[in-house]
Amino acid sequence: MPSLRGRRWDYAIGLRGLSGVTRSSRELDLTVKTTDPAELDRMRSLMDADMANGKPGTLVADGEWKARAYVTGSDVDEITPRLVTVTLTVVLLEGVWRRESTTQYNPETLASYTDLDYPFDYEHDWSPSLLANTATNPALSPMPCRLTVYGPAADPEITIGGNVYAVDCEVPSGAYLVIDGLDRTIRLTMNNGDIIDHFPDGRRGSAWAAASTASNPCRRASPRCHGPADTGST
């Protein structure tokens, strides 16, 4: 399917440079052949459901590269007793394919509390050591990332390359919080399936900048991992 492998940037030509450089949605034609008309009908039903519900589907190539897309139409080119050929009109929403990589922080790797134990009690608890790891972005430009925090947790935050991303909320046991740098959303999914929007509670930057960040939604930028290098994170 060669048409899926193309790429295109949108831009405006100015004085000695370009402006408005973006990757917009891209429309292309895709030829599909099948020996199973029933499977073709199933595919059409799924793609029509995406359009009707306003929720894009996902194209998967080589088992790991993914692109969000709509299939807006199909034209039948040929019908034979053994083969059906159709041309699909596909809209790649981001004009780019993505491959995810995951950096995982396991709570069991934390230092034990035993080395901070005392023979008498205090009115406060002693916290374990911070988790430390590296996040790798093999690309030559910054890439959006998705941060997932599994409960229980209180006011979770992560530092990537000196940038602090934090959410002022409680994540109960059995729930999980997702900060999606691609969709620019912060959502808490409870153990009963309820989804709570926590975007107003997100902040980026150091503690002294928290107040100004919270009052200015434009500064709550989505998390991005710069590359190509290992970026220390805590």
Side-chain angles (χ1 to χ4, degrees), residues 73-92:
S74 63
D75 296 303
V76 179
D77 299 328
E78 184 181 10
I79 299 178
T80 69
R82 297 178 60 104
L83 190 68
V84 179
T85 303
V86 299
T87 298
L88 304 179
T89 302
V90 180
V91 177
L92 295 178

Side-chain angles (χ1 to χ4, degrees), residues 164 166 168 199-220:
V164 179
D168 299 325
F199 186 81
D201 301 316
R203 55 185 173 86
R204 174 185 175 185
S206 58
W208 61 267
S212 60
T213 302
S215 63
N216 184 359
C218 295
R219 292 193 59 191
R220 284 198 297 271

Side-chain angles (χ1 to χ4, degrees), residues 3-19:
S3 59
L4 286 175
R5 298 181 178 273
R7 63 183 182 87
R8 184 172 293 107
W9 288 89
D10 291 338
Y11 54 88
I13 299 177
L15 179 62
R16 298 191 183 92
L18 303 177
S19 62

